[in-house]
Amino acid sequence: MSVRAHIIHAVTTSVSVKLMRGQLAYLRSKGVDLTVLSSPGEELVAVATQEGVSYKEIAMQREISPIRDLISLCRLIVFFAQKKPLLTNVGTPKAGFLCGIAAWMTRVPNRIYTLRGLRLETSTGLKRAILLLTEKIACAVAHKVICVSPSLQARAVSEGLVPLQKTIVLAGGSSNGVDTSRFATANIEKHTDLLQRHNIPPDAQVIGFVGRLTKDKGIVELVEAYQALKNEFPHVYLLLVGNYENGDPIPDEVKTVIKRDTGIILSGFVRDVVPYYTIMDVFVIPSYREGFCNVAIEAAAAGKPVITTNATGAVDTVLDGVTGYIVPVKSSEETRKAIRTLLCNPELGKEMGQAGRRRALNEFASPVIWDALYQLYGELINRR
């Protein structure tokens, strides 16, 4: 960049600030004067402090709340008018909408919307119509829309949210890449202490999942596939790393199965998931929708074969038949078949895992994504 740019990154909740970890410090090292903005929360303060950037707390509601949304918009307009940023990069649905409008109203000269996924894909009726409208507005007030995967880019264009020429995918995809240093060879050797902690026998075959335990993550289909495999593979276990969420809950009967089946291990929230990847033989994420499935790339970086679906954002993370398998959305039978193939052929699983690791390190390492983002900032700022 030809000038020391003041840039604002904004997301709705402080939890989402973690999506920019490492990226903020990288941009600061390049001379960018950066402020990260979100609703109040300890994650915002912790990440901003760790990365050495400024932060601003402005409350924003995740769900629709007309009065509170208007108050948030007014506060954002005042803040942007005071700071006069040269560029804004806003993401997540509510911040993309409110911060995008605030940046447009205060005439920020370079406005980016980072599209990390489309909630409207699994929504219906009035809720879908509202989400469609807000996404269209967020895209309309931006100069450039970063789509975190090629399939998300195609879906956004097909939904009429944004013209193709206004979109960009950074390198191979994702908004922040994968911190490959966490998956150095020494770190991805099997952590046998975890097997003991969760009473999993050393000779067990472990099917793994990492993420929110919700319906749209395909938990119902994953549990069904596991149950169908139990009789054929007596030493198979299903390891679920994550917590239940109230939004889009899985059926109570499936929760009961998870609770009662001694072969299903529910770890709850885990701060460092890398050791858990090491004890998995197969990683499965049968999601209905994604923006970009980061955990699939993390599992690949850990050398695991990955099974995912042909859903938006998930389909980009696996080379079918090379680094794992892609199955149809909501198909427990096809998921079962894919898992069975890998359980029956552990050498094939190792080959796919090695291919996936090479791809993750070459195409999705964080510095590759950060550099592409920095180059985009420079192009926009210098052009204007």
Side-chain angles (χ1 to χ4, degrees), residues 315-359:
V315 69
D316 306 279
T317 59
V318 170
L319 296 179
D320 192 32
V322 178
T323 66
Y325 292 112
I326 296 173
V327 300
V329 173
K330 299 184 181 181
S331 176
S332 58
E333 175 59 15
E334 292 301 318
T335 303
R336 181 197 68 81
K337 289 179 181 179
I339 296 172
R340 184 184 184 279
T341 298
L342 292 172
L343 293 181
C344 289
N345 300 276
E347 287 304 314
L348 174 62
K350 289 181 181 178
E351 290 176 10
M352 287 183 164
Q354 290 169 359
R357 176 168 165 76
R358 288 193 297 270
R359 181 173 182 243

Side-chain angles (χ1 to χ4, degrees), residues 19 27 36 53 79 89 92 171 174 181 202 217 236 272 293 302 309 322 365 377:
L19 298 172
L27 292 172
V36 61
V53 300
F79 178 67
N89 183 347
T92 67
S174 93
S181 65
K217 289 295 184 182
V236 70
D272 181 12
C293 192
T309 66
V322 178
Y377 286 179

Side-chain angles (χ1 to χ4, degrees), residues 63-364:
E63 302 302 324
I64 298 169
S65 178
I67 295 177
R68 290 184 178 182
D69 290 346
L70 182 59
I71 293 172
S72 298
L73 178 60
C74 291
R75 289 174 176 169
L76 289 164
I77 290 171
V78 170
F79 178 67
F80 285 177
Q82 291 173 341
K83 297 296 287 186
K84 294 181 173 59
L86 195 57
L87 183 147
T88 53
N89 183 347
V90 303
T92 67
K94 184 58 74 72
F97 176 66
L98 293 178
C99 295
I101 292 175
W104 174 75
M105 292 184 70
T106 55
R107 297 297 183 265
V108 173
N110 302 281
R111 302 185 295 274
I112 295 175
Y113 174 40
T114 297
L115 183 60
R116 290 185 168 89
L118 290 172
R119 291 175 63 190
L120 60 88
E121 284 194 272
T122 51
S123 301
T124 58
L126 179 61
K127 183 176 181 180
R128 188 182 194 281
I130 293 173
L131 289 171
L132 188 66
L133 177 61
T134 56
E135 291 289 4
K136 281 186 175 182
I137 293 173
C139 291
V141 297
H143 294 114
K144 206 72 175 175
V145 176
I146 297 174
C147 300
V148 298
S149 66
S151 59
L152 180 63
Q153 180 186 44
R155 185 61 186 262
V157 172
S158 68
E159 289 282 358
L161 300 178
V162 60
L164 178 61
Q165 63 270 24
K166 198 175 183 177
T167 66
I168 187 172
V169 178
L170 300 177
S174 93
S175 63
N176 202 36
V178 173
D179 180 1
T180 54
S181 65
R182 299 170 61 209
F183 298 93
T185 304
N187 295 337
I188 58 176
E189 295 175 355
K190 182 172 285 190
H191 286 239
T192 54
D193 58 317
L194 276 181
L195 295 174
Q196 296 174 355
R197 186 187 310 172
H198 293 293
N199 296 315
I200 301 175
D203 61 345
Q205 292 176 294
V206 180
I207 303 165
F209 168 92
V210 175
R212 297 176 294 109
L213 271 64
T214 58
K215 190 175 179 181
D216 68 3
K217 289 295 184 182
I219 297 298
V220 173
E221 290 75 19
L222 180 55
V223 171
E224 288 176 352
Y226 159 76
Q227 288 187 297
L229 289 163
K230 282 198 307 180
N231 292 334
E232 186 177 359
F233 300 91
H235 299 295
V236 70
Y237 281 72
L238 175 59
L239 174 61
L240 303 174
V241 182
N243 277 331
Y244 293 115
E245 288 196 2
N246 294 327
D248 191 35
I250 63 176
D252 289 339
E253 56 267 26
V254 178
K255 288 184 179 180
T256 299
V257 171
I258 293 172
K259 182 178 180 180
R260 293 180 178 176
D261 193 317
T262 57
I264 300 179
I265 310 300
L266 179 59
S267 72
F269 172 76
V270 173
R271 189 169 298 277
D272 181 12
V273 298
V274 173
Y276 282 82
Y277 287 124
T278 71
I279 63 174
M280 300 174 186
D281 295 283
V282 182
F283 182 80
V284 189
I285 176 81
S287 186
Y288 298 177
R289 68 169 180 89
E290 295 284 343
F292 180 84
C293 192
N294 284 304
V295 291
I297 297 299
E298 287 185 351
K304 304 302 172 181
V306 177
I307 297 170
T308 191
T309 66
N310 56 1
T312 302
V315 69
D316 306 279
T317 59
V318 170
L319 296 179
D320 192 32
V322 178
T323 66
Y325 292 112
I326 296 173
V327 300
V329 173
K330 299 184 181 181
S331 176
S332 58
E333 175 59 15
E334 292 301 318
T335 303
R336 181 197 68 81
K337 289 179 181 179
I339 296 172
R340 184 184 184 279
T341 298
L342 292 172
L343 293 181
C344 289
N345 300 276
E347 287 304 314
L348 174 62
K350 289 181 181 178
E351 290 176 10
M352 287 183 164
Q354 290 169 359
R357 176 168 165 76
R358 288 193 297 270
R359 181 173 182 243
L361 298 182
N362 292 335
E363 298 183 26
F364 301 106

